[in-house]
């Protein structure tokens, strides 16, 4: 909503449209031309470029989102690679989080996890803490995590985030394969302190022949630059972590004019 409000209106003004239950961001984008949305690296990499869907154009990398694996504070698990054979909630079946989590686990464990369930974070938390039927729950969200801030502090104290060890070859292979630097997270109230976790890049993506409307998209980038100081001061904290210069390859073409325009107004 903050992005749409920052972009200029024209003959076809942008509006916020919630995703249906049967499509993730990439599926929704490929249903029709003229759409704008954010999609994660793994979902873009998995989308077939020669299929029946509408082609996509990456406008710019946005920011990296942490992939968190949360366990009970008294769990013997300490690292993500110890999740082999464990029961894990990967997120709702048709959410963007579930395929991201499965891809991280496949890269970390060497095979797709066999024992997973598709639950919302709230339902998964009940299964983890109250009933003990799960070993871990996975959450993918921009920092600061809105869902975590809603937790009762007494519940947060019963949780811990699994960490990576970049000195371990298996963990290093995961980090190399994701193409994005890991993130240090320290969730308020959680046990264990700072955890090093994998991250996945999100991108701003347009559907259809974006090159035919390059002037309009470049104007959008300039408008976003004008609004960026206010967004970084008053909007979601993710605006302060924009990374338009990120070099991860999604497999889809990039609109250089949009990316270069935004890069010039983002520090770092």
């Amino acid at each position: 909503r903050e992005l749409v409000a920052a972009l200029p209106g024209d003959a076809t003004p942008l509006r916020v449209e919630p995703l249906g239950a049967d499509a993730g961001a990439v599926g929704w984008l490929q249903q029709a031309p003229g759409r704008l949305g954010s999609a994660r690296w793994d979902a873009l990499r998995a989308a077939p470029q020669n299929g029946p869907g509408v082609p996509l154009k990456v406008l710019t990398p946005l920011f990296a989102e942490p992939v968190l694996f949360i366990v009970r504070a008294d769990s013997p698990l300490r690292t993500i690679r110890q999740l082999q054979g464990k029961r894990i909630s990967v997120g709702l079946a048709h959410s963007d989080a579930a395929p991201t989590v499965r891809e991280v686990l496949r890269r970390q464990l060497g095979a797709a996890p066999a024992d997973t369930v598709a639950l919302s974070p709230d339902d998964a938390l009940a299964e983890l803490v109250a009933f003990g039927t799960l070993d871990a729950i996975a959450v993918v969200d921009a920092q600061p995590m809105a869902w975590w801030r809603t937790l009762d502090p007494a519940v947060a104290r019963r949780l811990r985030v699994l960490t990576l060890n970049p000195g371990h070859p298996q963990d290093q292979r995961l980090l190399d394969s994701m193409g994005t630097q890991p993130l240090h997270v320290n969730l308020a109230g959680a046990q264990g302190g700072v955890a090093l976790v994998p991250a996945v890049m999100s991108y701003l993506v347009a559907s259809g022949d974006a090159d035919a409307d390059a002037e309009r998209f470049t104007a959008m980038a300039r408008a976003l630059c004008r609004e960026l100081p206010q967004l970084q001061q008053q909007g979601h904290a993710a605006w302060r972590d924009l990374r338009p210069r990120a070099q991860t390859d999604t497999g889809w073409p990039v609109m250089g004019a949009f990316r270069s325009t935004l890069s010039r107004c983002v520090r770092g």
Side-chain angles (χ1 to χ4, degrees):
R1 290 186 178 88
E2 291 175 353
L3 173 64
V4 168
L7 297 180
D10 55 18
T12 56
L14 296 170
R15 67 180 187 277
V16 177
E17 183 173 328
L19 290 177
D22 58 347
V26 172
W28 176 81
L29 283 164
Q30 290 196 293
Q31 288 174 5
R35 291 182 170 182
L36 190 69
S38 63
R40 295 190 181 112
W41 173 81
D42 53 290
L44 288 166
R45 294 282 297 180
Q49 297 199 32
N50 298 318
V54 174
L56 304 177
K57 191 91 169 187
V58 172
L59 301 184
T60 180
L62 289 174
F63 48 84
E65 296 179 89
V67 184
L68 305 181
F69 293 91
I70 300 169
V71 299
R72 293 181 298 276
D74 61 358
S75 170
L77 302 176
R78 289 290 183 273
T79 66
I80 298 172
R81 63 179 179 275
Q82 293 176 314
L83 290 173
Q84 186 74 54
K86 303 302 182 183
R87 187 167 176 80
I88 308 163
S89 171
V90 297
L92 290 172
H94 297 297
S95 69
D96 282 349
T100 296
V101 172
R102 292 182 189 277
E103 181 64 13
V104 169
L105 289 172
R106 185 188 68 79
R107 290 171 181 264
Q108 174 74 36
L109 306 178
D115 193 3
T116 62
V117 295
L119 298 172
S120 70
D122 287 338
D123 290 340
L125 183 63
E127 295 293 332
L128 178 73
V129 174
F131 306 115
T133 57
L134 293 175
D135 296 297
I137 63 176
V139 182
V140 187
D141 197 5
Q143 297 189 78
M145 190 189 301
W147 171 74
W148 184 270
R149 295 203 303 269
T150 67
L151 295 184
D152 186 300
V155 174
R157 287 193 295 271
R158 299 178 63 185
L159 303 173
R160 178 166 43 80
V161 178
L162 297 183
T163 190
L164 291 167
N165 175 10
H168 192 284
Q170 194 171 332
D171 289 5
Q172 189 58 56
R173 282 195 298 271
L174 170 67
L175 296 177
D176 291 343
S177 70
M178 294 296 290
T180 304
Q181 291 296 313
L183 295 175
H184 291 87
V185 300
N186 189 6
L187 299 182
Q191 302 299 305
V194 178
L196 183 69
V197 302
V200 60
M201 186 64 69
S202 287
Y203 298 81
L204 185 62
V205 183
S207 63
D209 186 7
D211 286 333
D213 209 4
E215 186 174 336
R216 176 178 176 237
F217 281 113
T218 303
M220 283 184 178
R222 289 195 294 266
L224 183 54
C225 278
R226 289 193 297 269
E227 297 295 327
L228 191 57
Q230 183 173 349
L231 288 170
Q232 291 178 330
Q233 183 176 5
Q234 301 179 7
H236 193 284
W239 289 113
R240 296 192 288 273
D241 195 34
L242 282 183
R243 302 184 188 184
R245 301 179 187 88
Q247 298 299 316
T248 52
D249 180 18
T250 66
W252 292 92
V254 178
M255 177 173 280
F258 191 105
R259 179 177 178 174
S260 61
T261 298
L262 188 60
S263 294
R264 287 194 291 271
C265 66
V266 175
R267 295 180 180 179

